[in-house]
Each structure stands twice: as structure tokens, then as C-alpha cells.
Amino acid sequence: VYAELGDALICGRLQPGQPLTIRDLAAAFDTSVMPVREALRRLIAEKALEGQAQRSVRVPPMTPERLTDLRRTRLLVEGHAAELAAAHVTPALLAQLAAADAAYIAAAEAGDADQELLCNQRFHFILYDACGSPSLLAIIRSLWLQSGPYIRTAVERHSDRHMPSQRGTRGSFHTKIVSALRKGDVAAVRRALEADLSWAFDLLDSKG
């Protein structure tokens, strides 16, 4: 239950402000309330969900303050993880990243938001896993749980704009990360990573 709800948050299948009840989730997962309650407890502890009255929870609503906090923290933590990963580049890692990037671009061009977000997650966690820090990975996963519903909102707004030039720019962020890793340019890796993380927050800031 925890894993399924986590994937739903990261991919934005749960929307900002959406209420959830233990009873409804237990029915959806065809299980008792105990595993649902435990999964929700863990997600509340990770700040991905908020407890509400009458045994319900909700996805935290999207506010300027929350977006600013998540953006600042993600740039700090994920930027550091990318720098650490740059010290552990191998041909196999570059090949994995290139394949994930290709899948991401194909999904984006097809307008498949679910697959686009999954491929984006795969690319980033292949990179972060190379940093060699389980502690950083745990923090990053928590940040992705918190950010997913908002990033999905940005992806859908972006898709509605039908602006291929901007979509192409988005796809190039991953390519720039791989290129910088191949060159051993740690500063360029972080710059490209920060640009990739920032585009969704920029779009949400511009639209409110």
C-alpha cells in the first residue's frame, strides 16, 4: 500500500488538496484498514500527506510557500547528489542514463504524462543512486513524494500549451547532464540538474 501510494504521489495521480479516507483506500486496495493506516502514517511523517479530522488525510495543497520551500531544498540536496555522482561515472552509467533519457523524450513527444513522469523519475534516480549515499537517497525520495502532485500539474499545464520549442528545451536538460558527466564537468552537471528541476517550479510560479 505504501509503495502504490508513493508511486501515485510521485507520478501525480493524486492531486494537490485531494482528500483520502482510510475506508476508501482499504476498499481500493482490497485490504484491511491496518496496512492502509500504517502506509498513511509513514507518508504523513514524510510530509507527503497531511492528517485531517475524522481519520482522513489529504495531499497538501499547492501554496507559494510550499513550492518555494520544496524548490530550495530540492536544488540543494539533489544538486549535491549530482555532484557526488559525477565522481563515479562509468560507461555503464552513461548508457543507462542515455536510455532513460531516450524513453523520457519519447513519452514527452507522445504526450503520455504518466510515462513521462516515470521515465523522468528513472533518469534522476539512476543518477542519484551513483552518488553512493543511502541517506541522501532517502531524503530525495521524500522530496519527490512531496513534489509529485505539483510537478504533474506543471506537466499538464505545459502540455496544454502545445509549445514544442519549450518541450524540446526540457528534453535537452537530461542530455546536458549526460554530456557534462561524460566530460567530467561537475559544475556543468549541477547547472543542468538545477535547470531541469527548476522548469516546473518556474511554470507554476508564472501561473500561480
Side-chain angles (χ1 to χ4, degrees), residues 187-207:
V189 171
R190 181 156 192 160
R191 284 197 302 271
L193 186 282
E194 290 182 344
D196 187 24
L197 297 182
S198 292
W199 77 263
F201 291 100
D202 286 342
L203 184 59
L204 291 172
D205 285 344
S206 70
K207 299 299 287 185

Side-chain angles (χ1 to χ4, degrees), residues 66-181:
R66 184 167 174 81
L67 290 175
T68 297
D69 184 47
L70 282 170
R71 176 180 186 151
R72 180 173 55 241
T73 307
R74 288 192 61 184
L75 291 176
L76 179 67
V77 175
E78 294 177 51
H80 183 54
E83 289 180 334
L84 292 177
H88 302 284
V89 176
T90 64
L93 174 63
L94 293 173
Q96 285 181 301
L97 289 169
D101 184 29
Y104 167 80
I105 291 172
E109 290 178 345
D112 185 341
D114 277 340
Q115 193 62 26
E116 180 179 350
L117 288 161
L118 284 171
C119 291
N120 183 60
Q121 178 192 6
R122 186 179 306 127
F123 178 92
H124 280 269
F125 278 84
I126 289 171
L127 175 63
Y128 301 147
D129 189 56
C131 80
S133 173
S135 298
L136 270 179
L137 284 174
I139 294 170
I140 291 170
R141 175 169 170 78
S142 174
L143 291 169
W144 278 61
L145 287 170
Q146 296 178 61
S147 301
Y150 314 138
I151 302 305
R152 177 60 175 261
T153 299
V155 168
E156 291 179 343
R157 287 180 179 177
H158 191 283
S159 298
D160 289 344
R161 286 183 166 194
H162 301 294
M163 296 177 71
S165 61
Q166 286 196 25
R167 185 172 289 279
T169 300
R170 285 171 51 198
S172 72
F173 293 141
H174 291 175
T175 304
K176 289 178 179 177
I177 291 170
V178 174
S179 177
L181 287 169

Side-chain angles (χ1 to χ4, degrees), residues 25-45:
L25 289 171
F29 286 106
D30 192 22
T31 187
S32 69
V33 299
M34 292 301 293
V36 173
R37 185 177 290 117
E38 175 60 18
L40 294 179
R41 184 192 66 78
R42 292 173 64 185
L43 290 166
I44 290 170

